[in-house]
């Protein structure tokens, strides 16, 4: 199991965007100031009354001129890029003090927080990242009241009583700041390698555990994973060692290259780390991101090497003699590979097939020109596949939602697996024989693992299913199409309570992403219950830049075509207003990471369209992003200022450079974490400073900067509660909503069922909170 290691993984950690885990019963963690000597927040903020401009901490303007291809660009706040300077830390501390003063002074904040904690605390166990080895299942399990997911092992998905905990991060770190990045069991299931990191940094050290005893073997591999290049590992067939991704160690590269130049090394169990041996990678590019897999037989190892974050790959195979062979180059457009049970290689190709086709190579025959076509390109976009002994399962995207098609190994279609409409499949996993497990989720039902029977084609929900303390039985989902600026039809998913009036008065929350070929798929978000109880509408846009409609959809929103993403989103916002779902005075937007860039573009291109903007860990200075470690990996997606045409495109939309003096900007909340390895927190600091200085309105522009978290992954659950309480409080306040909602604000009518109010506890035996 290898974790997603690009910027796109942010949605995993934003509970208002994606399904979330439960919080801890530990004392809540307030967003810490950057300076340990910062004063506590005041009980109230002077000048924060209605219509008054907030007393923003002053950020000195120190102009620095940078020149790009003859264009001179002046940056007043470049000094805020240094997060370690005492002056910068004092400024961040003052920003946090202001934010706390504003939010904590709102009477509804305590009630919102209590409801957030109540909902998340009662959410049942969530199993994800399943992997089978040695006749048993390994999984990550998020279970309230734990701060972090644990690694567990059980006999099968239908036998939860056999579960044992192998690695509990809270035993390692009772403060809850250590997290499991990823894990890989040996093929015999006797050992498991686990990458662990601290403080949301994602800079992981691999430790090896004995599965039978749960004890460490003493083997450790430092810096096998990072928040920039990610990390991966593949065991040797005999289980006596493993190949792993190794970052440069101190003294091997200049400081600025330590998060780059990933290579593949081999570690022999029982040997000290200094004896780890180089295997492959001296020819890899600086921005290589490697994923490793071992064949079921254990004889072969596959290395898929991504060229940064743009979706281009090289592929290598290590044979039984110990020889690596590169069999696919970037022009071959092989974007995914898996071993079949007979060591044949199944490949997802987009060469001449922008929606994808599955081809196959026989063992020892690595000539792509001789590859056998198994599943041709069709209308659906092939996202993943799972070969078994006599079946091939293909996971498709249909504009956002999923489907699963079933084939025999000759490519004969055998139908589709029955899954709920407008739902998504998050993972395919092996089961006994030709059977298959898949993790499914929809906007109205929590995630669950389902078993598909190859014999009769039936699907059964396993006991590894989440339950929630809220019901969405009164909620409906529809899909509509918006028309973008260039005429492109863009899908938007609308989630709202049945019978919501289309009179323009409902509050609406619009979100999207649009990048890296990452699709925004349906997901269950229990905190949306609070929004629905306000009569609110949630809109999820499937923008260009993702892969909802294949490679062409991705390429329609990357590099010099990035503006299409922003136009698509604005079209969805206009659709909500024109369709009377909401009005500009009731419309809020929310996004994170690459979706934070989207928020910044909307702020600067269409400030009049939105009332509230929530932007998590966003990118805003597109001219200097590539100077940061992970920013270099993003060049293949965004472009580089070194190229004249790409610079022109970047500068044309860079949010930081399009903040205009005297503009009345919407109420905005920027959120960031000091340990973010994917998006440098300086983006949020600079954007907040510039907007606070420029805005002519009284709507608040706030910065919430945590000193103990990162991009989102690994955030302790108690900190998630505080963050979501702040986000919802800010949304409700700025949209003029009360909490609890008053009658007429969308609250359930008197006598309405508890299920409609989202207050039904899970049935006994179905994940009720312990």
């Amino acid at each position: 199991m290898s974790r997603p290691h690009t910027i796109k993984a942010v949605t995993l950690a934003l509970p208002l965007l994606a399904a979330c885990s439960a919080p801890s019963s530990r004392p809540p963690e307030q967003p810490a100031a950057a300076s340990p000597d910062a004063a506590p927040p005041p009980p109230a903020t002077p000048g924060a009354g209605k219509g008054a401009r907030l007393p923003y901490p002053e950020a000195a303007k120190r102009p620095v001129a940078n020149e790009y291809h003859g264009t001179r660009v002046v940056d007043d706040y470049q000094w805020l890029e240094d997060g370690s300077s005492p002056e910068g830390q004092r400024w961040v501390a003052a920003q946090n003090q202001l934010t706390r003063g504003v939010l904590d002074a709102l009477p509804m904040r305590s009630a919102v927080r209590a409801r957030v904690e109540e909902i998340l605390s009662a959410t049942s166990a969530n199993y994800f990242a399943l992997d089978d080895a040695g006749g048993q299942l390994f999984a990550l399990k998020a279970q309230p009241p734990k701060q972090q997911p644990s690694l567990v092992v059980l006999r099968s998905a239908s036998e939860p009583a056999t579960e044992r905990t192998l690695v509990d991060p809270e035993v390692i770190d009772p403060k809850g700041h250590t997290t499991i990045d990823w894990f890989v069991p040996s093929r015999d299931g006797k050992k498991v390698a686990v990458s662990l990191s601290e403080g949301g940094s994602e800079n992981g050290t691999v430790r090896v555990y004995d599965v039978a005893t749960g004890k460490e073997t003493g083997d450790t591999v430092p810096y096998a994973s990072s928040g920039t290049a990610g990390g991966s590992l593949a065991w040797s067939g005999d289980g006596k060692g493993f190949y792993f991704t190794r970052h440069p160690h101190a003294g091997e590269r200049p400081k600025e290259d330590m998060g780059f130049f990933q290579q593949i090394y081999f570690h022999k169990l029982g040997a000290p780390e200094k004896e780890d041996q180089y295997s492959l990678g001296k020819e890899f590019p600086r921005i290589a991101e490697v994923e490793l897999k071992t064949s079921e037989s254990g004889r072969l190892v596959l290395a898929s090497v991504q060229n940064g974050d743009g979706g281009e790959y090289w592929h290598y195979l290590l044979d039984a003699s110990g020889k690596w062979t590169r069999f696919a180059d970037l022009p071959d457009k092989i974007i995914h590979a898996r071993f079949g049970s007979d060591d044949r290689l199944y490949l997802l190709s987009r060469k001449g097939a922008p929606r994808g086709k599955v081809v196959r190579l026989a063992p020892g025959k690595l000539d792509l020109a001789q590859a056998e076509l198994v599943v041709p390109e069709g209308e659906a976009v092939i996202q993943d596949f799972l070969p078994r002994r006599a079946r091939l399962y293909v996971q498709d995207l249909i504009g956002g939602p999923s489907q699963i098609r079933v084939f025999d190994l000759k490519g004969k279609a055998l139908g589709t697996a029955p899954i709920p409409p407008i739902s998504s499949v998050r993972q395919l996993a092996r089961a006994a024989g030709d059977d298959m497990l898949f993790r499914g989720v929809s906007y109205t039902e929590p995630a669950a693992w389902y078993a598909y029977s190859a014999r009769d084609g039936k699907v059964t929900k396993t006991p590894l299913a989440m339950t929630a303390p809220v019901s969405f039985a009164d909620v409906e989902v529809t899909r509509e199409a918006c028309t973008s600026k260039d005429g492109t039809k863009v899908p938007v998913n609308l989630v709202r309570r049945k019978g919501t009036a289309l009179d323009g008065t409902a509050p609406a929350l619009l979100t999207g992403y649009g990048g890296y070929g990452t699709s925004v798929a349906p997901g269950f978000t229990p905190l949306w219950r609070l929004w629905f109880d306000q009569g609110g509408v949630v809109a999820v846009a499937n923008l260009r830049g993702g892969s909802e409609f294949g490679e062409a959809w991705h390429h329609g929103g990357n590099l010099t075509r990035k503006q299409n993403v922003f136009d698509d989103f604005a079209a969805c916002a206009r659709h909500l207003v024109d369709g009377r779902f909401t009005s500009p005075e009731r419309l809020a937007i929310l996004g994170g990471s690459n979706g934070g860039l989207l928020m910044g573009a909307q702020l600067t291109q269409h400030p009049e369209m939105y009332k509230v903007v929530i932007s998590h860990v966003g990118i805003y200075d597109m001219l200097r992003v590539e100077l940061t470690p992970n920013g270099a990996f993003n060049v293949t997606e965004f472009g580089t200022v070194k190229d004249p045409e790409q610079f022109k495109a970047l500068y044309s939309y860079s949010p930081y450079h399009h903040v205009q003096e005297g503009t009345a900007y919407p109420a905005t909340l920027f959120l960031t974490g000091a340990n973010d390895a994917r998006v440098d927190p300086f983006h949020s600091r600079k954007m907040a400073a510039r907007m606070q200085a420029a805005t002519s309105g009284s709507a608040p522009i706030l910065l919430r900067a945590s000193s103990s978290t990162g991009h989102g992954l690994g955030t302790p659950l108690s900190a998630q509660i505080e963050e979501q309480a702040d986000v919802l409080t800010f949304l409700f306040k700025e949209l003029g909503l009360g909490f609890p909602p008053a009658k007429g604000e969308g609250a359930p009518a008197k006598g309405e069922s508890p299920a409609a109010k989202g207050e039904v506890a899970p049935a006994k035996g179905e994940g009720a909170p312990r």
Side-chain angles (χ1 to χ4, degrees):
M1 171 251 174
S2 180
R3 64 109 167 138
H5 51 247
T6 66
I7 195 174
K8 62 198 176 194
V10 67
T11 51
L12 298 175
L14 298 181
L16 285 180
L17 290 176
C20 57
S21 7
S24 169
S25 56
R26 297 175 182 276
E29 174 182 301
Q30 297 290 347
S35 169
D37 300 320
T45 303
K50 186 176 181 181
R53 179 183 169 87
L54 289 173
Y56 297 117
E58 183 179 357
K61 291 186 177 182
R62 296 172 187 157
V64 176
N66 302 293
E67 189 166 310
Y68 307 89
H69 309 289
T71 299
R72 186 172 182 268
V73 180
V74 177
D75 187 346
D76 288 334
Y77 301 109
Q78 196 165 301
W79 66 272
L80 276 173
E81 292 180 9
D82 183 1
S84 63
S85 74
E87 184 180 12
Q89 289 185 351
R90 285 193 294 270
W91 183 83
V92 170
Q95 290 286 342
N96 275 332
Q97 191 174 59
L98 173 66
T99 299
R100 290 264 52 88
V102 170
L103 297 177
D104 292 344
L106 298 174
M108 77 172 76
R109 205 271 179 185
S110 60
V112 171
R113 185 198 176 281
R115 184 64 173 135
V116 168
E117 182 174 31
E118 177 187 15
I119 289 176
L120 299 186
S121 295
T123 301
S124 72
N126 177 18
Y127 294 84
F128 56 101
L130 259 64
D131 197 1
D132 72 307
Q136 52 196 341
L137 277 181
F138 295 78
L140 292 180
K141 178 186 180 182
Q143 172 68 70
K146 289 187 174 295
Q147 292 282 301
Q148 301 284 356
S150 299
L151 174 61
V152 300
V153 62
L154 60 164
R155 190 175 301 157
S156 72
S158 61
E159 299 176 279
T162 64
E163 177 187 305
R164 290 188 295 118
T165 299
L166 288 178
V167 182
D168 183 349
E170 284 194 40
V171 173
I172 299 170
D173 174 14
K175 293 182 179 179
H177 293 288
T178 296
T179 190
I180 297 174
D181 306 307
W182 42 264
F183 69 91
V184 183
S186 60
R187 295 319 307 154
D188 61 9
K190 294 181 179 180
K191 301 285 190 298
V192 62
V194 182
S195 174
L196 293 152
S197 64
E198 298 178 3
S201 68
E202 302 176 63
N203 293 329
T205 293
V206 167
R207 302 184 188 183
V208 180
Y209 293 82
D210 181 87
V211 173
T213 64
K215 295 181 178 180
E216 289 192 57
T217 66
D219 294 89
T220 60
V221 176
Y223 208 15
S225 186
S226 75
T228 51
S232 189
L233 183 150
W235 286 85
S236 60
D238 59 12
K240 295 181 179 180
F242 51 79
Y243 297 88
F244 67 95
T245 49
R246 183 184 186 273
H247 293 76
H249 289 199
E252 296 178 352
R253 294 265 185 190
K255 183 179 179 181
E256 61 269 21
D257 286 337
M258 296 301 284
F260 300 88
F261 293 106
Q262 194 179 69
Q263 296 181 0
I264 301 171
Y265 272 62
F266 182 79
H267 174 79
K268 182 179 179 181
L269 290 186
E273 179 260 334
K274 65 181 180 180
E275 294 182 8
D276 292 345
Q277 298 179 350
Y278 166 82
S279 185
L280 182 69
K282 291 179 180 178
E283 72 272 31
F284 292 173
R286 184 173 187 262
I287 55 174
E289 303 174 69
V290 182
E291 183 178 10
L292 299 165
K293 297 186 182 80
T294 306
S295 66
E296 289 190 43
S297 70
R299 292 190 293 265
L300 307 172
V301 174
L302 174 71
S304 298
V305 183
Q306 186 174 195
N307 183 34
D309 292 335
E312 300 176 313
Y313 292 83
W314 296 274
H315 297 274
Y316 298 76
L317 189 70
L318 178 69
D319 62 25
S321 71
K323 177 185 176 183
W324 285 101
T325 300
R326 189 173 73 203
F327 64 90
D329 292 318
L330 302 187
D332 295 314
K333 295 188 176 181
I334 303 296
I335 66 166
H336 182 50
R338 277 183 183 260
F339 287 109
S341 58
D342 55 2
D343 281 357
R344 285 192 278 185
L345 271 173
Y346 288 78
L347 311 171
L348 175 52
S349 170
R350 285 188 174 162
K351 188 172 184 178
R355 294 177 184 250
K357 61 185 177 183
V358 180
V359 300
R360 180 170 56 206
L361 291 173
K365 297 180 180 180
L366 297 180
D367 183 1
L368 286 175
Q370 303 300 315
E372 177 186 3
L373 178 64
V374 183
V375 180
E377 182 184 30
E379 289 299 314
V381 178
I382 299 176
Q383 187 178 35
D384 195 6
F385 55 84
L386 178 68
R388 303 299 294 127
R389 291 177 177 83
R391 292 287 185 274
L392 176 65
Y393 299 100
V394 175
Q395 176 186 338
D396 296 324
L397 279 175
I398 314 172
S402 301
Q403 73 174 8
I404 301 175
R405 288 182 289 163
V406 185
F407 299 85
D408 68 16
L409 294 189
K410 294 181 180 180
K412 179 183 177 181
L414 301 176
T416 60
I419 66 173
I422 314 183
S423 66
S424 69
V425 173
R426 299 299 176 90
Q427 186 189 345
L428 305 177
R430 294 173 297 203
D434 285 324
D435 294 349
M436 177 264 300
L437 297 169
F438 67 91
R439 189 170 186 257
V441 63
S442 74
Y443 288 117
T444 58
E445 292 291 335
W449 281 94
Y450 298 84
Y452 175 84
S453 169
R455 181 178 58 83
D456 56 18
K458 292 183 178 180
V459 168
T460 305
K461 183 186 286 190
T462 76
L464 306 186
M466 290 185 69
T467 58
V470 295
S471 169
F472 286 2
D474 61 334
V475 172
E476 64 180 358
V477 184
T478 57
R479 273 172 66 82
E480 299 188 9
C482 310
T483 303
S484 194
K485 185 176 182 179
D486 63 359
T488 300
K489 297 295 184 182
V490 180
V492 60
N493 305 276
L494 300 170
V495 190
R496 62 193 188 277
R497 289 176 63 176
K498 299 169 186 175
T500 299
L502 300 182
D503 58 7
T505 64
L509 180 65
L510 172 63
T511 185
Y513 190 76
Y516 299 96
T518 298
S519 301
V520 178
F524 183 81
T525 307
L527 289 184
W528 282 358
R529 185 69 254 177
L530 279 70
W531 192 252
F532 298 141
D533 287 346
Q534 297 275 12
V537 176
V538 173
V540 182
N542 293 121
L543 312 171
R544 276 177 285 185
S547 63
E548 285 88 342
F549 297 102
E551 184 180 39
W553 195 251
H554 173 211
H555 289 172
N558 75 343
L559 297 173
T560 58
R561 300 167 294 275
K562 189 70 176 178
Q563 181 60 41
N564 288 335
V565 180
F566 312 138
D567 292 341
D568 290 355
F569 191 85
C572 291
R574 285 191 294 271
H575 181 84
L576 292 176
V577 173
D578 293 345
R580 304 281 289 165
F581 292 97
T582 192
S583 66
E585 283 297 304
R586 304 283 274 178
L587 178 55
I589 58 175
L590 182 150
S593 199
N594 173 71
L597 165 60
L598 174 63
M599 297 300 101
Q602 298 304 306
L603 274 169
T604 52
Q605 295 181 18
H606 306 286
E608 77 290 345
M609 290 178 60
Y610 310 108
K611 182 68 172 178
V612 187
V613 179
I614 306 291
S615 191
H616 295 256
V617 293
I619 312 168
Y620 310 110
D621 186 341
M622 298 307 296
L623 301 189
R624 294 180 63 78
V625 62
E626 64 190 88
L627 300 178
T628 65
N630 201 52
F633 289 85
N634 303 157
V635 164
T636 51
E637 176 70 16
F638 295 142
T640 173
V641 296
K642 297 174 183 177
D643 179 282
E645 288 304 309
Q646 292 179 353
F647 160 72
K648 183 179 178 181
L650 290 164
Y651 192 33
S652 71
Y653 69 77
S654 178
Y656 177 68
H657 298 94
H658 286 81
V659 176
Q660 299 295 320
E661 297 287 340
T663 300
Y665 285 105
T668 304
L669 177 61
F670 295 109
L671 301 98
T672 189
N675 299 330
D676 192 339
R678 304 188 186 210
V679 176
D680 195 297
F682 81 61
H683 286 276
S684 295
R685 295 194 292 266
K686 290 174 65 174
M687 190 67 174
R690 187 157 186 178
M691 283 189 61
Q692 288 174 353
T695 187
S696 63
S698 60
I701 311 293
L702 299 179
L703 173 65
R704 184 190 192 276
S706 167
S707 65
S708 60
T709 60
H711 198 64
L713 299 177
T715 299
L717 300 179
S718 59
Q720 291 185 36
I721 292 179
E722 299 305 321
E723 181 173 311
Q724 295 312 308
D726 284 346
V727 168
L728 285 164
T729 299
F730 189 79
L731 279 171
F732 292 163
K733 167 63 169 60
E734 296 305 321
L735 289 172
L737 304 174
F739 192 84
K743 191 172 182 180
E745 289 183 340
K750 185 176 181 180
E752 193 169 330
S753 70
K757 292 189 288 184
E759 296 175 354
V760 176
K764 187 175 181 180
E766 296 180 351
R770 294 182 177 88

